[in-house]
Amino acid sequence: MKDRLREAYGKLAADYEMHLDDDSPFNAYYERPAMIKLLPPDLKGRTVLDAGCAAGWYTDQLLKRGADVTAVDMSPEMCAAVIRRTVGRAEVRNLDLSEPLPFERDYFDLILSSLTLHYIEDWEDTFKELQRILKPGGRLIYSVHHPFMDFTKFQSPDYFARELLTDTWNKKEAGHIEVPFFRRPLQEIINITISFFTLEQLLEPQPVSEFKNRTEWLQSYEKLMTEPWFLIVEASKRAR
């Protein structure tokens, strides 16, 4: 699974770097506006982990708000794209979030993870590490596939099972790419989160109006107005 995912995202790196800022409505006009609303406008003096940074869109946004940003991704090609984008303004590390992380306890004020955690099979160790490196009172904000969306799209036989699925994406640079990920029920998502953190918000976002500006996006916009596609969670680390 990890080798397949690393290879897929290596091939996708050029698309993320060249096209994902504006040409992907599910990112630009659906997930990102909802995530950005949860961020403090001023992050000066705050340490932030961009956990699963891809080509660095969120890394750049966090830097613009004054944060001291560490960006990590399991794909070397994605990390290289972030380095090109941030030009020394962020620390960029090629790391796997399913493995122990090389950061001190209580180091980060905020951890942001955009559409990454559904690539990890077992969240227990990952959330334990995220809790360890987050300061007491710090925030964890993450987005993942909505389990209802994956359950219906892939016609899964058992909603309550955790299962490995594969989606096929068609990108401008990479062409057709098979991307593996894990679907898990909502109760597993929430129960693992609250076993390590205090749940602050659960969001099922809807797209902003800019999503429907192009004719080819209109059908997707109308679908997202009535069906959840992504899920956003805001949680905090309990004070000792």
Side-chain angles (χ1 to χ4, degrees):
M1 161 64 184
K2 287 185 181 182
D3 289 342
R4 290 174 58 201
L5 185 63
R6 190 176 286 108
E7 180 182 359
Y9 268 92
K11 294 177 180 178
L12 288 164
D15 283 282
Y16 272 63
E17 185 173 7
M18 297 168 61
H19 305 299
L20 209 67
D21 281 12
D22 302 306
D23 288 348
S24 175
F26 284 83
N27 296 90
Y29 306 121
Y30 178 50
E31 188 258 4
R32 289 174 185 164
M35 290 278 278
I36 287 293
K37 283 184 179 180
L38 298 178
L39 295 178
D42 186 357
L43 288 169
K44 291 178 182 176
R46 304 290 184 89
T47 51
V48 181
L49 177 66
D50 187 357
C53 57
W57 187 89
Y58 277 106
T59 305
D60 191 42
Q61 298 302 309
L62 294 164
L63 289 167
K64 288 176 179 177
R65 293 176 184 230
D68 179 6
V69 184
T70 300
V72 304
D73 201 278
M74 73 180 300
S75 165
E77 292 84 359
M78 289 292 188
C79 289
V82 181
I83 291 170
R84 286 190 290 271
R85 180 169 192 147
T86 58
V87 195
R89 293 178 295 139
E91 180 180 1
V92 183
R93 295 198 186 192
N94 181 206
L95 297 176
D96 184 341
L97 291 172
S98 67
E99 298 177 356
L101 300 173
F103 304 112
E104 296 179 3
R105 181 180 299 275
D106 301 342
Y107 184 79
F108 292 102
D109 294 289
L110 170 68
I111 299 173
L112 181 146
S113 183
S114 170
L115 301 174
T116 297
L117 293 173
H118 46 252
Y119 297 121
I120 299 173
E121 181 176 10
D122 186 351
W123 281 11
E124 194 82 16
D125 289 342
T126 297
F127 272 64
K128 184 177 181 179
E129 277 292 272
L130 296 179
Q131 181 203 53
R132 180 185 67 80
I133 64 177
L134 189 65
K135 293 178 181 178
R139 285 292 197 269
L140 167 67
I141 300 171
Y142 71 84
S143 60
V144 290
H145 289 182
H146 197 293
F148 171 81
M149 179 272 288
D150 286 332
F151 175 67
T152 54
K153 178 181 178 181
F154 291 89
Q155 298 181 332
S156 299
D158 182 1
Y159 169 80
F160 296 102
R162 184 195 307 168
E163 59 181 338
L164 177 62
L165 300 171
T166 300
D167 203 0
T168 301
W169 298 355
N170 186 18
K171 297 297 183 180
K172 291 181 180 179
E173 306 299 324
H176 288 84
I177 298 291
E178 291 190 347
V179 182
F181 66 96
F182 292 95
R183 185 198 64 79
R184 70 197 75 226
L186 180 61
Q187 65 181 3
E188 182 178 333
I189 292 172
I190 298 305
N191 287 338
I192 292 179
T193 301
I194 64 176
S195 67
F196 293 98
F197 299 94
T198 297
L199 181 65
E200 301 290 343
Q201 289 192 71
L202 178 70
L203 302 177
E204 297 170 302
Q206 291 180 298
V208 295
S209 59
E210 290 86 346
F211 197 118
K212 58 181 178 179
N213 282 349
R214 283 168 37 181
T215 304
E216 66 269 28
W217 295 348
L218 182 57
Q219 186 175 357
S220 294
Y221 171 84
E222 292 173 345
K223 185 179 183 69
L224 290 174
M225 289 299 293
T226 59
E227 295 182 19
W229 203 260
F230 296 148
L231 182 72
I232 296 174
V233 175
E234 180 184 14
S236 62
K237 180 173 176 176
R238 306 176 187 98
R240 293 193 183 94

